[in-house]
Amino acid sequence: MNQELIINSTPSEVVIALLHDKRLVELHREKNNSKFSVGDIYLGKAKKVMTGLNAAFVDVGYEKDAFLHYLDLGTQAQSFIKYVDQAKSGKQNVSNLMYFKNETEIKKDGKINDVIKSGQNLLVQVTKEPISAKGPRITTEISLAGRYLVLIPFSDKISVSSKLRNFEEKNRLKELMQKIKPKNFGVIVRTVAEGKSVSDLEGDLNDLIKRWDDCFQSLKTSQPPKRVLGEVDRTNAILRDFLNASFNAIHVNDAAVFEDLKSYIKTISPDKLSILKHYNGNVPIFDAYGIEKQIKSLFGKTVHMKSGAYLVVEHTEALHVFDVNSGNRSKSDFSQEQNALEVNLESAVEVARQLRLRDMGGIIVIDFIDMHNAENRKLLFEKLRDEMRSDRAKHNILPPSKFGLIQITRQRLRPEVNIEVLETCPSCNGTGKVQPSILFVDQIENTLRFIIKEQNQKNITLNVHPYIEAFIKKGGFLKSKQWKWYFEYKQWVKVQSMASQGFMEHSFFNKDMDEIIL
């Protein structure tokens, strides 16, 4: 499978699109000032201990206190609490745990007030970002994820990913980690570690131990609430989890992000450095790779498929419903059952894609077209399960019910990606009335005259809808409106088509490609 990563960096956010064979399958938006990402480690303070909920609310700096359930404490919760106290008091001078004496493991069915006290300092990790009116979900069972390994302090357990099937390779990796891992640190070996050399694994392990040391140094001088260690940013995290032999290109439009990624790829996979490319084309990167059009077609309430069938998507906070409709897709030479099967199989592929793309979590119900043949229902269930295998989020799929419904539960770690694809008309601003279209180019020319004559701007770029661009350039050499402007203002105005621009919408940009706001 051909995989590409397209990264659109703007001053306010970084948008990351993952393509499989040119089809958009994941979209991540990371605000540049975003806080509380999954994996971030905080020094927090317990505010309330709720015995009825068997949970505590912890202040980590968010407007709503973070939620910590007893089951999220981890067996070594007492050791973490002792470590924090000793680091803050100066009794623990090094991050190394070789000489640290672990506390007794907590009971699986214990009470929160036996472990956590109000006002206590806690080292916690975000497991679920703030969603809706809820604060972050946290754990005291800290883990640090690397390219090949996951490091777990206060544990000596070594485990290997269950996706790795080769028994001999599993044993090799276990024996190797037993020799190189430091005392009092547990390790989970990830699937991508298969076949990797000692130097690769040891290098990754040393990076993780260095990150733990950074966390310790920050912890010593911090006062709660404070982030003591941030997870690598979303772009690097995706590279860490996805970068493999099938990745053939990474395109990024920002020079600074390009250099960051270059350094990161050098660290985790130097042989892949050649696939990183800096995009500096005139057309916005998402337009150049057809992503903007895919976003507009995939995030609406109705999602159309090639055959003419379509999905209708409805949401509540914790429940999402897909309704499968055959639309105008019908083959007269096929039976109704065969038509239903083909539409359902195509819909299963699109539903799996939509779940990843929108990052839906909670309960998902899919109302497929009714099929009477039990063999066909089994075929549909297996197809959906196969398509969902590439989904990194934990999920569970139930077989079709007698009503033809399939239920999925999917782990929700972040707010759902929701993009409004219906646009307010830029010409009428929602009123339903527009200025005469015959005056639209006059309006552009009046604005252009003001920018050049009054503001003395040079090297101007005009972004318009492709139809308007064609009209402005109509007539070609010496006869078009673009040439008319050149003769009138003694400078060339670059006219650029934008598929995402409204039909009666235009925008001017200066030489630095900053929009000129009037």
Side-chain angles (χ1 to χ4, degrees), residues 58 60 66-69 72 124-127 136-140:
V58 181
V60 292
F67 183 76
L68 175 64
H69 194 272
D72 294 323
V124 297
Q125 188 169 34
V126 176
T127 58
R137 181 102 184 224
I138 56 176
T139 179
T140 58

Side-chain angles (χ1 to χ4, degrees), residues 445 448 462 472 481-489:
E445 290 181 336
L448 181 62
L462 169 63
I472 291 172
K481 288 192 175 292
Q482 192 176 22
W483 276 101
K484 174 193 162 190
W485 297 341
Y486 176 74
F487 292 128
E488 183 175 348
Y489 303 119

Side-chain angles (χ1 to χ4, degrees), residues 1-5 17-26 242 244 246-247 294 353 356 390:
M1 183 179 288
N2 188 11
Q3 291 193 97
E4 293 177 280
L5 205 63
L18 178 65
L19 306 183
H20 284 184
D21 296 330
K22 305 297 181 183
R23 294 174 72 246
L24 181 64
V25 293
E26 286 192 27
F242 275 110
N244 55 42
S246 62
F247 245 109
Q294 291 194 57
R353 179 191 185 191
R356 290 179 65 187
S390 58

